[in-house]
Amino acid sequence: MSEFPIHLSAFHALQVQYRQQRQTKELGSLDDTSSPVERYLNTVFFLQSTLSLSTNCDFTPVPWPSDPRGPPVATVLDVAHCGIDEDCLQYTYGTTKRLTTFIRAIVTLFQSASYYTLTGTEVPSALQHAIQVLDQRLHTWTLECENIINLPNAHTTEVMKLHILAFYHAACIFHLTHLVLPLLAHDEAHRPRPQELLHFHISQVLSHLQNIEAIKRQNPRIFSSQAASILWPGFIACCEARREDRPRWMEWWEQMLTYRIGNIASLYETVKEVWQLHDKRDHGSSLQPAWRVCLRERERLIIAL
């Protein structure tokens, strides 16, 4: 997966090129109208860059800006991204603009929250407020919040909805492991409830992913044998799975290997290494998920697509 940054930078370069061409034609207009090609490039870059950022371990923790004017919560959680094709996100990637924005927001907040957890200093009230707002929006989200497209076939629509739900529960796991549990690292009295939520969301991700594969097996004429689910939800969830739940996850990964897509095997090997690291360390001994520690120690770049 070492070529992925090149792939991503190429998408970004094309984005810039199309945007410049459009603005030149419009005499520098900032009109948000974009061509189908530009909207597609914007959408692909939005999703893929988000997933890339979410698993990037090469970052420097930064304190939350002291300027009360920025970055405001509204900016961090803004879902009104112009030029993003919501239908493309749902049909191609099985997620939504809102959920992708949640993931980007978690990454932004984590970069600042980790500064305070690592230095042992007090988390600013503005950052705490931003985390609380994100927490509220995550926990009030339902599938009905989204304008879900209707595909021609009921089975493909159901698979898409299941994948969106898997993305949602994985985003909740991402939130718990990056913002909630690290900030409760020294508060044993309040850790059990988030831990219960964590395992609930993990079980939901697995259930939805297993149901997707079951529907595909039952309808081979509809679904391509070469089209696998996006791996981000499964990777984020299974890395936190309890030891007794891992055999079910291993079954799912073995199913995914049958798609014969290159990054599936490498991600599965990473998962096994993460489980080994998980078993060696005390559960509350790290302020970051075990998979982050594993990737950083091995200087490994992944993209869970």
Side-chain angles (χ1 to χ4, degrees):
M1 284 175 279
S2 59
E3 72 279 3
F4 181 74
I6 301 174
H7 165 87
L8 203 59
S9 63
F11 261 111
H12 183 56
L14 284 170
Q15 268 188 303
V16 173
Q17 178 182 335
Y18 271 91
R19 187 178 300 117
Q20 290 175 342
Q21 289 176 351
R22 173 167 55 83
Q23 291 179 354
T24 299
K25 290 179 181 178
E26 298 168 358
L27 301 178
S29 170
L30 295 179
D31 185 2
D32 290 323
T33 303
S34 56
S35 69
V37 173
E38 187 178 349
R39 284 178 62 83
Y40 173 74
L41 291 172
N42 290 342
T43 303
V44 171
F45 185 78
F46 176 60
L47 186 281
Q48 294 193 7
S49 63
T50 298
L51 300 189
S52 176
L53 286 170
S54 73
T55 56
N56 178 23
C57 297
D58 184 20
F59 73 93
T60 302
V62 292
W64 191 252
S66 57
D67 186 348
R69 294 173 298 177
V73 179
T75 300
V76 175
L77 295 174
D78 181 22
V79 298
H81 297 282
C82 298
I84 303 298
D85 189 334
E86 176 75 39
D87 291 359
C88 177
L89 274 179
Q90 293 184 25
Y91 177 73
T92 307
Y93 295 106
T95 188
T96 69
K97 182 166 62 175
R98 192 186 311 271
L99 293 180
T100 308
T101 301
F102 286 161
I103 297 169
R104 290 185 83 93
I106 294 167
V107 172
T108 299
L109 297 175
F110 171 67
Q111 288 178 335
S112 287
S114 59
Y115 172 85
Y116 299 100
T117 55
L118 291 172
T119 59
T121 52
E122 184 178 355
V123 179
S125 58
L127 177 55
Q128 292 182 28
H129 174 64
I131 293 173
Q132 289 170 359
V133 171
L134 173 61
D135 183 84
Q136 181 182 22
R137 294 192 184 182
L138 267 173
H139 287 93
T140 56
W141 182 94
T142 65
L143 200 58
E144 287 68 33
C145 294
E146 308 288 357
N147 185 19
I148 302 297
I149 60 175
N150 286 316
L151 300 175
N153 184 280
H155 293 301
T156 53
T157 301
E158 180 63 18
V159 164
M160 183 185 67
K161 288 181 178 179
L162 288 170
H163 206 283
I164 291 172
L165 288 170
F167 247 104
Y168 164 69
H169 288 286
C172 290
I173 295 167
F174 196 61
H175 171 247
L176 285 166
T177 56
H178 285 73
L179 295 176
V180 178
L181 289 170
L183 294 176
L184 293 176
H186 304 294
D187 188 353
E188 294 298 327
H190 292 90
R191 284 181 65 87
R193 176 57 177 163
Q195 288 286 358
E196 292 175 8
L197 283 173
L198 178 66
H199 295 302
F200 165 75
H201 290 300
I202 292 170
S203 67
Q204 290 298 297
V205 173
L206 180 57
S207 175
H208 293 317
L209 294 179
Q210 287 177 326
N211 288 337
I212 288 172
E213 296 307 310
I215 293 173
K216 287 183 176 181
R217 287 195 302 272
Q218 294 164 7
N219 300 275
R221 294 184 179 180
I222 299 175
F223 297 97
S224 169
S225 60
Q226 298 178 335
S229 298
I230 299 297
L231 296 171
W232 191 85
F235 177 81
I236 294 298
C238 77
C239 282
E240 305 299 329
R242 291 174 292 199
R243 191 176 303 183
E244 60 266 30
D245 296 327
R246 292 175 190 170
R248 294 174 61 209
W249 276 108
M250 293 173 68
E251 290 179 9
W252 179 77
W253 279 103
E254 293 295 333
Q255 288 179 333
M256 300 307 290
L257 287 173
T258 62
Y259 288 101
R260 300 184 182 280
I261 298 174
N263 67 322
I264 294 178
S266 58
L267 280 173
Y268 188 24
E269 288 304 311
T270 299
V271 166
K272 293 176 182 177
E273 293 176 8
V274 171
W275 284 344
Q276 291 176 356
L277 180 61
H278 236 307
D279 294 341
K280 290 179 182 178
R281 72 176 193 175
D282 175 62
H283 190 74
S285 64
S286 176
L287 298 175
Q288 297 185 6
W291 61 262
R292 280 197 174 274
V293 177
C294 180
L295 294 178
R296 187 172 59 252
E297 288 180 351
R298 290 157 177 75
E299 298 182 346
R300 185 178 301 167
L301 174 69
I302 67 166
I303 177 65
L305 279 174

